[in-house]
Amino acid sequence: MLGAEAQSTKFGFGCLGLVGGFAGYEVKNYSATGLNQYIAAINERRKDSLLTAMGEMGQLKGYRLGMNLIRNRISGLEYTVKVFYETLSELKEAQIKGRSGIYKNSLELKQNVFGAGLELGTPITKIISWKILELEFTYGTAQLFKKTEDINDPVSRVKYTADNYRAGFNFASGFILFLIDNNISLEGKMGYSEFSIGPMTDEDGNKLATSESGGNIMESPITKGGLFYGVQFNLSIPL
């Protein structure tokens, strides 16, 4: 009996732990020096007919789906190993007054990311755990869609894809609220996401330049990441 009691205090969530899926929403800040210089050039070029200037880029929003491969508790320390996919985007538009009406020009950045991570936490109460550290490694793709409207060419859409999407990482901390035992939970987190994007090329092989009228190749559309925050719904079953 004593051995069984000691074992029950050492392990949690059942002997083999939990497995399950999760879905969430994230907001990710980043530094886009190259893209924002491009946007400034767009606004300057059309300043005489600009009704609404195109704003600066710097905040992606989107969804995350993933699987907790294992979640367990040993001697009061909770750990989780997971894999995930997320899709994020940001859209900026400018309104331009033309001879036959009002036209919209836009830039939309899309990011698709795959990743794997490890979480370490500890219970605070029976229904709340503190996620002490979440560490994730990421890799994915990025596209930039440029859409223009003009009296001579009603809709023109160009797609640029990053030549090399560099590997990145996230680290965060947060809290988990268990709603139904250990099977259904809601968590919130905040942290830092590091990633960057190099030169981009369109479908005809043309490189994205520093301005739409040409110039040098834009070497770093996104130079670094920034703070991010998110909420996530977890569903787990015991093994």
Side-chain angles (χ1 to χ4, degrees):
M1 288 293 293
L2 289 176
E5 289 178 3
Q7 195 76 350
S8 67
T9 58
K10 185 176 180 182
F11 294 95
F13 303 151
C15 290
L16 297 177
L18 301 172
V19 65
F22 58 84
Y25 183 80
E26 277 193 357
V27 178
K28 184 186 295 185
N29 295 293
Y30 63 97
S31 177
T33 304
L35 288 178
N36 287 331
Q37 288 175 347
Y38 188 88
I39 289 172
I42 289 176
N43 291 333
E44 178 64 24
R45 187 179 182 185
R46 294 168 173 79
K47 62 181 180 181
D48 294 334
S49 57
L50 203 61
L51 295 177
T52 304
M54 188 177 293
E56 290 192 341
M57 287 187 158
Q59 190 176 79
L60 290 160
K61 298 178 181 179
Y63 299 95
R64 161 183 287 223
L65 298 171
M67 177 177 289
N68 292 321
L69 302 177
I70 184 68
R71 171 174 281 181
N72 213 337
R73 181 186 298 157
I74 298 178
S75 299
L77 180 66
E78 297 173 354
Y79 68 90
T80 303
V81 179
K82 62 182 177 179
V83 292
F84 63 90
Y85 165 78
E86 60 186 23
T87 177
L88 307 152
S89 64
E90 182 176 19
L91 175 66
K92 295 297 181 181
E93 294 182 332
Q95 288 190 331
I96 301 160
K97 185 177 180 180
R99 287 178 293 175
S100 302
I102 297 174
Y103 302 100
K104 285 185 179 180
N105 286 2
S106 67
L107 288 177
E108 183 177 18
L109 179 67
K110 291 187 176 182
Q111 183 187 44
N112 298 303
V113 177
F114 296 90
L118 173 67
E119 299 177 8
L120 297 175
T122 187
I124 297 176
T125 69
K126 289 184 178 180
I127 63 170
I128 298 176
S129 285
W130 173 31
K131 183 189 293 188
I132 301 170
L133 176 65
E134 175 185 79
L135 181 61
E136 299 172 338
F137 296 95
T138 61
Y139 189 83
T141 61
Q143 296 88 33
L144 180 70
F145 297 90
K146 178 185 177 183
K147 183 179 177 181
T148 58
E149 297 178 352
D150 187 88
I151 189 171
N152 298 317
D153 186 8
V155 179
S156 173
R157 195 166 188 256
V158 180
K159 174 185 175 182
Y160 292 91
T161 301
D163 297 346
N164 295 296
Y165 184 88
R166 298 152 190 161
F169 64 87
N170 305 326
F171 63 85
S173 183
F175 294 92
I176 302 173
L177 174 64
F178 293 98
L179 303 175
I180 300 179
D181 295 327
N182 296 313
N183 305 114
I184 297 178
S185 61
L186 182 67
E187 67 177 84
K189 61 182 177 181
M190 179 178 289
Y192 181 82
S193 177
E194 178 56 39
F195 65 100
S196 61
I197 294 175
M200 308 183 83
T201 306
D202 70 12
E203 294 169 306
D204 294 325
N206 301 308
K207 297 288 186 182
L208 179 64
T210 52
S211 72
E212 62 178 350
S213 58
N216 298 324
I217 294 173
M218 190 186 301
E219 296 294 341
S220 299
I222 295 179
T223 52
K224 62 180 180 179
L227 295 177
F228 79 95
Y229 55 91
V231 293
Q232 181 174 302
F233 178 81
N234 302 304
L235 178 62
S236 302
I237 57 173
L239 292 173

